[in-house]
Amino acid sequence: MAGLAAAFGSGAMTNTIADIETAKVILVTGSNTTENHPVLSAFVKRAIKFRGAKLILIDPRRIKLTEFAHKWLRPNLGTDVAWINGLMHIIIKEGLHDKTFIENRTEGFEELKQKLEKYTPEYVEKITGIPSEDLIETAMLYAENKPASIIYCMGITQHTTGTDNVKSLANLSMLCGNLGMAGGGVNPLRGQNNVQGACDMGGLPDVFTGYQKVADSEIRKRMEEVWGVTDLSEKPGLKVTQMLPEAHEGKIKAMYIIGENPMVSDADLNHAEKSLKHLDFLVVQDIFMTETAVLADVVLPSSCFAEKEGTFSNTERRIQRVRKGVEPPGQVLDDWKIVCRISTLMGHAMDYPSSASIMEEISKVTPSYAGISYDRLENNGIHWPCPNSTHPGTPILHTEKFTRGNGVFHSIDYIPPAEQTDEEYPLYLTTGRLLYQYHTGTMTMKTDGLNERAPECFVEISQEDSGKYALKNGELVDIASRRGQIRAAVNISTKASSGTVFIPFHYGNSPANKLTNSALDPVSGIPEFKVCAVKLLRV
Amino acid sequence: MTTAHKIIINGNELSFAQGETILEVSRKNGIDIPTLCHLKGTIPTGACRICVVEVKGARSLVPSCATPASDNMVVHTESPKVVEARKQILQLMLSSGNHNCAVRLSDGEDWTSFQLKVQAQDSTSELCPVWGDCTLQNLAYKYQVTGEEFPPTETRYPMETVNPFIVRDFSRCIQCGRCVQACNEVQVNNAINLGYRGANSKIVAGVDRPLKDSDCVFCGECVQVCPVGALVEKETRCTVRPWEIKKVRTTCSYCGVGCQIYLHVKDNKVVSVSGVEDVSPNFGSLCVKGRFGFNFINSKERLTTPLIKENGKFKEASWEEALKLVASKFNDIKSKHGGDSLAVLASARITNEENYIIQKFTRGVLKTNNIDHCARL
């Protein structure tokens, strides 16, 4: 998100889901779309099968989408900047870049061009393992078909160079003038139902709603007026990946965790647990007794999506209604009601008659949501920005100009992943999700059928590597990194590339994140879940 | 401006756009033509022929789903010839397999033995699982036909129940092929197809394997589009009837696509989920988690009361007690160490309104910008 915001001025998906079907070429990277965004993947597959679009897939694993790909490149883990720079090097050499678009709508092209000089196909092959002729063919396929849509997910962002990776994809899209048009764009897929909304609503340390900076005194003044408070802090707060270390150091004394389970989803879990235990006071508000809730001093039960009114904002910035279908169990309350009551008890009275009235306040303080009200969302959602009550919403961003004015090319060099394999830890580990489970499993694992399809943790390994370690399919093996050790069943699979194993992170009893590296991207604060070094130990 | 195209359907002069089928023009104008195999967004197969209409000058009836409207065409959608053809198609369908929806005329004994046989095969004393929610049954009523005009044909293939989600009941399959189109043209999972020939025809997964051993990913698109009782959800089969449920439209709570779903609610319990058709972003499609992963809502493991930890053990508490404790602790820590000694994690799982309130509380009351959520994780 930080990467796209730097390039375009807005960090969200530039185009819509339906738009994907109108692309001529689709580049998918770092997204196992058929498993993690299955319904969206159907738009990709239909574009390929019925509308003649070409699919470029760049992923180390032989995921399902490879069956639809015209070009499948299999780079070494964590070498994204190198292959993206390589593609751009070739496109410029061949004169296939969109000179008019670059001239009229962007800045920083000359610096980029210089930076790309050294990223010859041969140089890139040395870093990424992608044969130079494949890279050239891919560059031509991308540049010669317009519009081109770029789709990416956590496989791009969960690296120490995640922000660089995203900026590089933005470079590639701008280079061929693929922004602001149907079927084009740079499209990050959001993994959770309301990640987009949590960001839009200011669930971030440096911004209020609608990405309005806390450092901006005008904005703070406006919020103080509407909220009836004084002295809002101008200092950006801590990111989640900084909160835990600060808790460990005793600087953070208390935490209030709502609907999150960092005890399974965080990198380097052993450290996370120590940090949370170090707090003076921990409140967890959730629908289940999660691994994190177990550590709490107070646990507050909240309602789930089927029990309340509200809105979610999806990955394409579409604000959609959530409606109450059933009464919640026991004494369970809506999250917002609990927070309002705590606030009132702390001396600041807060109350609303309904979630609709909260949306009224949101629209008052948020320019991009200014035109949103429940009656407008009755039948169909609306894409923000929606600046007034008659505005139809904005399905495609950056049509006339970028949110920030000109698009910015960032000149970026390849930096290797934070952790490399060595004699002691000779294999790379990458993590991800499965079709039948979701995130930390607190929801999906309550459905027997889903557990029947994906019952337990496994380590996916190539035929070649399984031979090297004399492992049989289904046997248990210990996987160890510098940070921890877990046990999982061996799954010999054609999906895996030799030298790299894959483990799904859903399973709390065999948590892959005990192994992962908490080294962070310096800008976004995202840990490098997608690369670390491990070894296998026979049980 | 180009001259408008005109077609005459049941005596009404209607305009149409080049390329529109007779079916599309009719439906747009509120003229109902029954369909079974037709699936919006896919290439028409004309397999079931129930949508046939009479076109003046044509030698035989034409399938309206696959016939483009043309200028000055004169169409009758319910002429005696059309009705006769539809009756015959329905009679043939009803005579093959276990259509025990009480659309029969025969003497009691025959009917009873048929019912008993079907119920034994269904392992239930209930009528057909989609009774009241079946296009074939609706049409049988509409055209007042039964399956007794033709000798009954026995089902060649046993019911498949070996996966957790979907029951495949070949005795009720009318081979319309909608499921095949849904799988291959809508979801593009390419798991099922038409297999074998003639009387042995069957919808097969791969080389005729159970769904669980095929490329099937249990998105359930096939179940949603099945017009009869051949594909039904295992969990609610024969236990939940369409008139017992209330449908509530909402947004799926799994990934960021934001599929529009209906919660099917019976006795304050979500019993199944379906996709909302014809609206963005999913146009009726769902994935296995969205369609079948709803049991957590009604899980016995849900937290139902506030809990306070004392001596390492949780004990149940009232809201008043729990919230007072939280408020006083937060106040204490804030006054002793300042707002920045507190940190809040909002959530990518809860609503916009709730996230808004949480950040307002964090910034305005706790007086810190230490707020984030697990978007990055």
Side-chain angles (χ1 to χ4, degrees):
Chain A
M1 213 191 75
L4 274 197
F8 304 150
S10 166
M13 196 162 155
T14 60
N15 288 58
T16 69
I17 295 170
D19 230 42
I20 295 167
E21 226 170 322
T22 63
K24 287 266 175 17
V25 61
I26 304 171
L27 187 154
V28 177
T29 183
S31 157
N32 184 4
T33 328
T34 60
E35 296 206 52
N36 294 329
H37 298 89
V39 172
L40 187 143
S41 82
F43 288 79
V44 176
K45 292 185 286 185
R46 286 197 300 263
I48 306 305
K49 194 170 165 186
F50 300 108
R51 297 190 182 227
K54 307 282 186 220
L55 177 63
I56 297 170
L57 183 72
I58 298 150
D59 201 295
R61 292 176 70 216
R62 188 190 296 272
I63 54 175
K64 186 75 184 174
L65 269 189
T66 58
E67 295 170 18
F68 293 81
H70 296 83
K71 271 317 247 185
W72 171 35
L73 307 182
R74 214 171 187 182
N76 297 329
L77 287 190
T79 61
D80 301 292
V81 167
W83 64 254
I84 301 166
N85 278 352
L87 291 179
M88 291 192 287
H89 173 101
I90 297 160
I91 290 167
I92 294 172
K93 269 268 142 68
E94 296 291 330
L96 293 171
H97 50 299
D98 186 335
K99 289 137 203 125
T100 320
F101 185 91
I102 293 167
E103 175 68 28
N104 294 340
R105 299 202 43 191
T106 68
E107 50 198 68
F109 177 68
E110 284 310 315
E111 294 88 320
L112 174 73
K113 200 172 154 188
Q114 276 177 19
K115 177 66 77 184
L116 295 175
E117 271 303 314
K118 72 173 181 203
Y119 287 88
T120 62
E122 296 70 29
Y123 177 66
V124 171
E125 178 171 346
K126 270 189 213 129
I127 299 169
T128 63
I130 298 168
S132 53
E133 56 273 27
D134 278 345
L135 196 74
I136 293 167
E137 281 174 33
T138 305
M140 305 302 276
L141 187 62
Y142 179 83
E144 287 177 340
N145 291 281
K146 204 168 174 173
S149 175
I150 295 177
I151 295 173
Y152 69 90
C153 197
M154 298 296 196
I156 282 295
T157 55
Q158 288 179 343
H159 291 280
T160 44
T161 58
T163 305
D164 285 352
N165 294 347
V166 173
K167 285 177 180 167
S168 300
L169 289 175
N171 284 346
L172 178 62
S173 184
M174 286 192 290
L175 187 69
C176 294
N178 276 309
L179 285 146
M181 62 174 73
V186 184
N187 298 299
L189 305 186
R190 300 303 211 151
Q192 301 192 54
N193 58 326
N194 203 28
V195 182
Q196 188 64 54
C199 295
D200 297 349
M201 289 302 103
L204 292 169
D206 59 337
V207 289
F208 295 105
T209 58
Y211 309 94
Q212 305 174 85
K213 298 273 178 210
V214 296
D216 184 328
S217 61
E218 285 299 311
I219 306 280
R220 281 202 312 279
K221 216 176 112 201
R222 169 88 181 124
M223 295 297 169
E224 283 168 358
E225 274 166 26
V226 176
W227 292 353
V229 297
T230 52
D231 302 327
L232 286 177
S233 169
E234 63 181 330
K235 189 181 103 194
L238 301 172
K239 294 172 186 146
V240 54
T241 42
Q242 296 165 322
M243 287 176 189
L244 293 179
E246 298 240 338
H248 198 251
E249 287 167 30
K251 288 186 199 152
I252 294 289
K253 305 283 181 196
M255 279 187 79
Y256 183 12
I257 300 179
I258 301 164
E260 297 278 5
N261 192 9
M263 276 306 301
V264 178
S265 62
D266 212 8
D268 192 358
L269 287 181
N270 289 334
H271 184 264
E273 181 170 357
K274 274 184 216 148
S275 304
L276 290 177
K277 281 185 172 162
H278 206 264
L279 290 168
D280 290 351
F281 191 58
L282 173 62
V283 181
V284 174
Q285 186 164 308
D286 212 310
I287 63 173
F288 289 112
M289 184 57 81
T290 62
E291 288 82 352
T292 306
V294 168
L295 303 177
D297 296 290
V298 177
V299 177
L300 305 173
S302 57
S303 54
C304 79
F305 84 110
E307 295 152 359
K308 61 187 165 198
E309 300 288 330
T311 56
F312 292 152
S313 298
N314 79 349
T315 188
E316 53 172 1
R317 298 171 281 105
R318 189 194 291 270
I319 304 154
Q320 307 191 106
R321 280 284 272 118
V322 175
R323 294 185 184 84
K324 181 172 177 169
V326 292
E327 290 298 327
Q331 303 177 47
V332 163
L333 292 176
D334 287 355
D335 288 283
W336 67 268
K337 288 183 182 156
I338 302 172
V339 178
C340 283
R341 283 177 66 170
I342 294 174
S343 176
T344 304
L345 286 168
M346 286 181 73
H348 181 92
M350 214 191 273
D351 196 18
Y352 295 84
S354 65
S355 61
S357 61
I358 302 175
M359 182 54 85
E360 272 170 41
E361 186 173 312
I362 294 169
S363 69
K364 233 181 268 171
V365 296
T366 316
S368 56
Y369 276 62
I372 302 296
S373 61
Y374 279 16
D375 54 329
R376 291 194 72 194
L377 302 176
E378 196 50 37
N379 293 316
N380 257 317
I382 296 174
H383 300 273
W384 66 257
C386 178
N388 61 61
S389 60
T390 52
H391 192 281
T394 313
I396 302 175
L397 294 179
H398 319 305
T399 47
E400 303 291 321
K401 57 184 179 61
F402 287 98
T403 309
R404 69 175 297 285
N406 278 339
V408 182
F409 283 110
H410 290 92
S411 306
I412 295 163
D413 260 319
Y414 162 72
I415 304 167
E419 191 169 71
Q420 304 284 330
T421 52
D422 56 21
E423 266 180 31
E424 197 186 351
Y425 297 95
L427 287 167
Y428 280 112
L429 164 70
T430 192
T431 62
R433 297 179 186 179
L434 304 174
L435 173 65
Y436 296 100
Q437 297 291 359
Y438 182 76
H439 217 57
T440 63
T442 50
M443 290 156 63
T444 46
M445 287 177 194
K446 305 297 186 297
T447 294
D448 295 342
L450 295 174
N451 292 333
E452 189 179 322
R453 298 297 296 172
E456 55 173 15
C457 193
F458 60 82
V459 51
E460 177 187 286
I461 182 169
S462 72
Q463 188 80 45
E464 191 185 330
D465 287 339
S466 72
K468 210 183 281 177
Y469 295 91
L471 293 167
K472 281 198 292 289
N473 210 25
E475 94 176 86
L476 288 174
V477 65
D478 283 333
I479 308 101
S481 76
R482 286 183 179 83
R483 292 155 294 276
Q485 181 169 327
I486 64 167
R487 186 167 289 185
V490 171
N491 177 8
I492 301 170
S493 169
T494 54
K495 278 187 188 166
S497 70
S498 290
T500 302
V501 298
F502 165 85
I503 301 177
F505 74 83
H506 306 296
Y507 299 92
N509 56 359
S510 199
N513 284 327
K514 279 205 170 163
L515 308 174
T516 48
N517 192 352
S518 58
L520 303 180
D521 178 291
V523 183
S524 71
I526 301 180
E528 188 148 66
F529 287 118
K530 297 300 182 193
V531 194
C532 75
V534 295
K535 62 183 168 188
L536 301 179
L537 303 161
R538 295 189 65 94
V539 176
Chain B
M1 264 206 36
T2 51
T3 27
H5 298 288
K6 294 280 181 205
I7 182 171
I8 296 157
I9 303 179
N10 299 350
N12 306 299
E13 193 177 283
L14 305 169
S15 62
F16 67 92
Q18 197 70 42
E20 278 187 302
T21 61
I22 299 173
L23 178 68
E24 284 164 343
V25 181
S26 300
R27 288 203 168 158
K28 220 168 55 186
N29 290 284
I31 298 168
D32 179 47
I33 297 176
T35 56
L36 283 166
C37 71
H38 178 258
L39 183 63
K40 207 174 158 184
T42 65
I43 303 155
T45 60
C48 75
R49 297 197 57 85
I50 201 76
C51 72
V52 287
V53 293
E54 191 170 350
V55 173
K56 197 175 167 192
R59 279 169 40 206
S60 53
L61 300 177
V62 301
S64 62
C65 71
T67 310
S70 68
D71 262 327
N72 304 315
M73 196 181 235
V74 179
V75 179
H76 289 280
T77 67
E78 294 283 340
S79 69
K81 235 172 122 182
V82 168
V83 170
E84 197 43 50
R86 288 192 190 143
K87 281 189 165 185
Q88 200 166 22
I89 294 163
L90 292 169
Q91 283 161 346
L92 274 166
M93 285 176 174
L94 289 165
S95 70
S96 88
N98 293 349
H99 302 290
N100 62 334
C101 47
V103 188
R104 285 179 88 87
L105 303 169
S106 63
D107 63 85
E109 209 169 300
D110 209 30
W111 174 237
T112 307
S113 63
F114 173 68
Q115 269 308 341
L116 290 174
K117 184 199 79 177
V118 173
Q119 290 183 348
Q121 286 179 11
D122 279 349
S123 327
T124 170
S125 58
E126 296 280 328
L127 282 172
C128 175
V130 296
W131 204 100
D133 186 21
C134 173
T135 315
L136 181 61
Q137 184 188 22
N138 289 349
L139 292 175
Y141 271 106
K142 179 174 178 187
Y143 291 101
Q144 290 290 301
V145 294
T146 73
E148 292 159 313
E149 293 297 320
F150 296 95
T153 15
E154 281 304 313
T155 308
R156 285 182 163 73
Y157 303 103
M159 196 185 295
E160 181 188 313
T161 59
V162 288
N163 71 74
F165 304 115
I166 300 170
V167 172
R168 298 170 82 196
D169 182 352
F170 299 99
S171 77
R172 292 186 167 95
C173 177
I174 56 170
Q175 313 250 347
C176 68
R178 279 189 122 205
C179 55
V180 172
Q181 290 193 295
C183 188
N184 292 273
E185 293 182 43
V186 179
Q187 287 267 1
V188 203
N189 287 323
N190 306 331
I192 55 173
N193 222 320
L194 292 160
Y196 307 110
R197 278 160 189 260
N200 290 321
S201 296
K202 180 191 183 188
I203 308 296
V204 295
V207 288
D208 198 5
R209 308 181 58 106
L211 288 180
K212 73 177 177 67
D213 303 320
S214 75
D215 283 343
C216 175
V217 291
F218 297 99
C219 67
E221 188 92 14
C222 57
V223 178
Q224 183 154 335
V225 303
C226 180
V228 292
L231 294 164
V232 293
E233 287 174 14
K234 196 172 187 176
E235 203 166 298
T236 50
R237 188 173 183 275
C238 294
T239 59
V240 176
R241 295 294 179 173
W243 55 87
E244 296 173 327
I245 58 155
K246 177 183 78 173
K247 276 193 192 180
V248 179
R249 179 172 161 183
T250 188
T251 303
C252 180
S253 72
Y254 282 107
C255 80
V257 173
C259 290
Q260 293 301 290
I261 59 174
Y262 284 117
L263 301 173
H264 297 211
V265 179
K266 179 185 172 183
D267 304 333
N268 196 43
K269 191 180 160 191
V270 177
V271 290
S272 62
V273 167
S274 63
V276 181
E277 282 165 24
D278 297 327
V279 298
S280 291
N282 52 309
F283 301 95
S285 292
L286 295 177
C287 76
V288 62
K289 293 184 286 278
R291 192 181 299 275
F292 297 109
F294 56 83
N295 301 66
F296 74 91
I297 300 167
N298 199 44
S299 165
K300 290 215 166 24
E301 293 172 43
R302 282 287 297 275
L303 292 167
T304 56
T305 173
L307 301 168
I308 295 174
K309 198 179 268 171
E310 274 174 15
N311 305 321
K313 281 210 173 119
F314 283 118
K315 77 163 185 55
E316 293 190 356
S318 68
W319 275 112
E320 212 184 353
E321 195 183 353
L323 295 183
K324 259 190 188 157
L325 175 64
V326 172
S328 71
K329 280 278 188 183
F330 283 172
N331 264 338
D332 279 357
I333 291 168
K334 185 180 146 196
S335 60
K336 237 183 256 165
H337 306 281
D340 284 341
S341 65
L342 293 149
V344 176
L345 285 186
S347 175
R349 320 285 306 131
I350 62 178
T351 64
N352 286 327
E353 291 76 2
E354 290 169 329
N355 276 302
Y356 174 77
I357 292 297
I358 291 163
Q359 65 99 29
K360 177 178 173 178
F361 167 74
T362 306
R363 298 193 154 107
V365 181
L366 297 183
K367 293 279 190 261
T368 177
N369 286 315
N370 289 341
I371 177 164
D372 201 356
H373 63 281
C374 294
R376 307 178 167 83
L377 310 177

